[in-house]
Amino acid sequence: MVTHGGSTSSSRRGDDYLRGLKGRRIVVAGRLVDDLTQDPGLRPMADFLAGLLDRFSAAGDLADAEGFPVPYALASSAQDVAARGRVFADVARSSGGLLGRSPDFLATILASWRGAAAYFGDRADAVVAYWEQARSSNLVLTHAISDPPADRHLPAELGLPTQALRAVGESADGLVVRGVKMLATLAPYADDLVVYPFRPLGQQEADQALCLSVPVDTPGLTLYCRPGLASAPVEDHPLAARFDEMDAICVFEDVVVPWERVFLHGDVAKANGLRAGTGMTTYAWHQSAVRSWVKAEFVFGLARAAARAAGRDRNQATRQHLGELAGIAETLRSLVVAAEAQTRTDAHGNVVPDPVPLATAGMLNAQLYPRAIELLQLIVSSGLVMHPVSADEAPDSPAHAVFSTYFAGADIDSLSHGRLLRICAELTLDRFGGRQELYERVFLGPPDIFRATFYDRYTAERAEPELPAGLLA
């Protein structure tokens, strides 16, 4: 990995992270939450992230030779790219790929900005300094990039006031911003929000041409979160209880962003060219492609275990469904392998994977993940609806004897079988699973638009295929 000096290692661990989850303005289902660690519905996710930070710390297995989290590193060889991919896979496997905004996602985007710091002009030093701070402090970052519906979809002729985040003033202390960024996944658990435009901006929207970072506990910033997805008892919703990363609307009320955290301001061309100018999408797609592959393997693992437990793995129709599921997982894995095998040196001198297979993985996963869930439904079938719940595990439960008898499967006891079916049901029928499916459908934005832009990228990157000589003669 490329060495850039700075701090000697990342010393912050999970306990330090948990102690910092106080003093924020977070509203969840109408109630103000001041300390996430004291909220039983929010604490499990915080604990999971704390465990990841331990692994990213200098003494952890996800740190590089310098003692920093690997996702913040730049690659100088194909081996470095593959090593980063292995870390992405390790992180994804810890949650079955269910976390779309695990800390490695924004860390690798920030690494791309560090590698292309010159793109930011006179703010390059601020980008480098923030990258140094984030990796040495082992920060949990997420981004807030989408604008409110009124600014995205409603015609300007309506004369509605701008709601999107915009600059409204300047002072010696920093840039003053006001407005909304929405659907910031992981926001209440993050140390900092990283803000940049999601859509192309018009020349009249220079006040929205922003790229900056904001600590979540900054005065004037309030996060309005959706209700949690874990229903009581949590034993019946183990995925949501542990892996509900939460989504939030971020409201900025004249927030002062220190100048050292402002990376772009007022330059529409630079804001619109951020992705192409820094190559950040290749970095982000690498992480998300690995996660999609791991998630497909997780769904396949659940389906195979459920089919075996019920004895359905010998049924021809079930075996066909399992074969298709395996093919989905292998397709996504192969695209990652292809991308990592065909590395290139980018315009900034850093080694990156081939973006075309990664973009292919993102485009296809918007269709493949919903199909994987459909196949899981077909394989597990009625077991998704009728299965033991945690209350039935108690020996004094009136249903205990019945479920113990009728849900004992091949090489699996009734308790384990019931827990397996509850996980499958949560991923296919529950609110948590519904969000997961929607998330994958629109992970890269509107699927139709991405398919069209992929066509442009593919034809630009790949040679035009030659038709057999004489075929059109």
Side-chain angles (χ1 to χ4, degrees):
M1 298 288 182
V2 178
T3 302
H4 292 284
S7 303
T8 57
S9 65
S10 176
S11 59
R12 191 173 78 140
R13 296 179 61 86
D15 288 345
D16 304 315
Y17 163 73
L18 292 173
R19 282 191 290 271
L21 295 177
K22 300 177 182 178
R24 306 167 176 216
R25 284 193 57 82
I26 298 173
V27 178
V28 181
R31 56 190 177 85
L32 187 64
V33 178
D34 178 70
D35 183 354
L36 270 67
T37 65
Q38 299 303 308
D39 188 289
L42 300 173
R43 176 67 189 246
M45 183 67 208
D47 286 336
F48 175 80
L49 290 171
L52 274 184
L53 292 189
D54 284 341
R55 298 183 66 193
F56 281 128
S57 69
D61 63 311
L62 301 180
D64 61 19
E66 299 177 75
F68 297 110
V70 168
Y72 282 106
L74 294 165
S76 58
S77 68
Q79 291 75 20
D80 289 346
V81 171
R84 190 163 56 201
R86 288 193 295 272
V87 168
F88 293 156
D90 281 348
V91 174
R93 288 194 178 100
S94 66
S95 69
L98 297 172
L99 297 185
R101 287 293 174 269
S102 52
D104 51 326
F105 181 78
L106 258 294
T108 197
I109 288 179
L110 191 57
S112 74
W113 292 358
R114 168 62 183 91
Y119 178 81
F120 294 88
D122 61 1
R123 304 306 299 161
D125 288 345
V127 171
V128 173
Y130 183 64
W131 169 81
E132 287 275 11
Q133 176 194 349
R135 73 167 189 155
S136 63
S137 300
N138 201 5
L139 294 184
V140 175
L141 308 177
T142 194
H143 62 191
I145 59 177
S146 186
D147 294 332
D151 292 318
R152 283 182 288 156
H153 304 304
L154 298 182
E157 305 85 74
L158 293 179
L160 297 174
T162 300
Q163 299 174 356
L165 185 69
R166 60 207 181 276
V168 296
E170 299 181 15
S171 71
D173 295 327
L175 184 68
V176 183
V177 297
R178 180 189 305 157
V180 175
K181 286 291 184 180
M182 58 186 303
L183 213 64
T185 301
L186 202 76
Y189 298 103
D191 294 302
D192 288 0
L193 299 180
V194 179
V195 175
Y196 53 91
F198 180 66
R199 61 179 177 85
L201 299 173
Q203 288 303 315
Q204 75 282 7
E205 296 177 303
D207 58 347
Q208 299 178 47
L210 301 171
C211 179
L212 48 86
S213 71
V214 184
V216 172
D217 61 358
T218 296
L221 174 59
T222 304
L223 306 181
Y224 294 89
C225 303
R226 58 164 171 76
L229 299 177
S231 304
V234 295
E235 292 82 5
D236 291 338
H237 305 271
L239 299 181
R242 294 182 63 194
F243 303 126
D244 183 6
E245 51 192 342
M246 193 54 77
D247 307 290
I249 296 173
C250 309
V251 178
F252 298 74
E253 299 177 276
D254 292 350
V255 170
V256 178
V257 183
W259 288 115
E260 63 267 21
R261 285 175 169 268
V262 178
F263 313 133
L264 289 176
H265 164 38
D267 190 329
V268 172
K270 282 285 188 181
N272 287 343
L274 181 64
R275 289 164 176 79
T278 63
M280 59 184 278
T281 51
T282 299
Y283 288 73
W285 290 346
H286 189 194
Q287 189 273 350
S288 61
V290 172
R291 183 187 59 80
S292 297
W293 149 40
V294 170
K295 192 171 187 177
E297 286 190 340
F298 174 62
V299 175
F300 172 74
L302 289 175
R304 189 182 190 192
R308 283 176 167 175
R312 291 176 178 167
D313 57 326
R314 298 185 295 274
N315 176 274
Q316 185 64 15
T318 298
R319 292 171 64 83
Q320 290 174 5
H321 295 328
L322 287 169
E324 185 179 347
L325 256 180
I328 289 173
E330 186 62 14
T331 296
L332 295 172
R333 187 193 72 84
S334 299
L335 289 167
V336 171
V337 171
E340 293 179 352
Q342 301 172 134
T343 57
R344 62 180 67 179
T345 301
D346 68 9
H348 313 287
N350 301 302
V351 179
V352 296
D354 185 347
V356 173
L358 300 178
T360 304
M363 178 180 65
L364 293 181
N365 191 57
Q367 301 167 280
L368 293 180
Y369 182 76
R371 176 57 179 165
I373 292 302
E374 181 182 18
L375 290 167
L376 182 60
Q377 290 176 327
L378 293 172
I379 291 166
V380 186
S381 189
S382 61
L384 299 173
V385 177
M386 190 66 240
H387 50 257
V389 296
S390 57
D392 299 319
E393 296 180 359
D396 59 350
S397 165
H400 180 78
V402 171
F403 283 122
S404 296
T405 299
Y406 292 105
F407 277 85
D411 301 319
I412 189 171
D413 61 75
S414 61
L415 294 183
S416 298
H417 192 190
R419 292 166 186 168
L420 172 63
L421 293 175
R422 293 201 293 272
I423 291 173
C424 293
E426 190 176 11
L427 202 56
T428 56
L429 303 181
D430 215 338
R431 292 183 302 162
F432 178 84
R435 179 196 173 275
Q436 290 286 323
E437 183 172 338
L438 177 62
Y439 199 86
E440 301 300 350
R441 285 183 184 274
V442 299
F443 183 80
L444 295 175
D448 53 339
I449 293 177
F450 190 83
R451 287 193 291 269
T453 57
F454 175 79
Y455 167 75
D456 294 334
R457 175 178 284 272
Y458 181 83
T459 52
E461 292 267 356
R462 300 294 193 247
E464 184 171 352
E466 294 185 11
L467 299 177
L471 182 64
L472 302 181

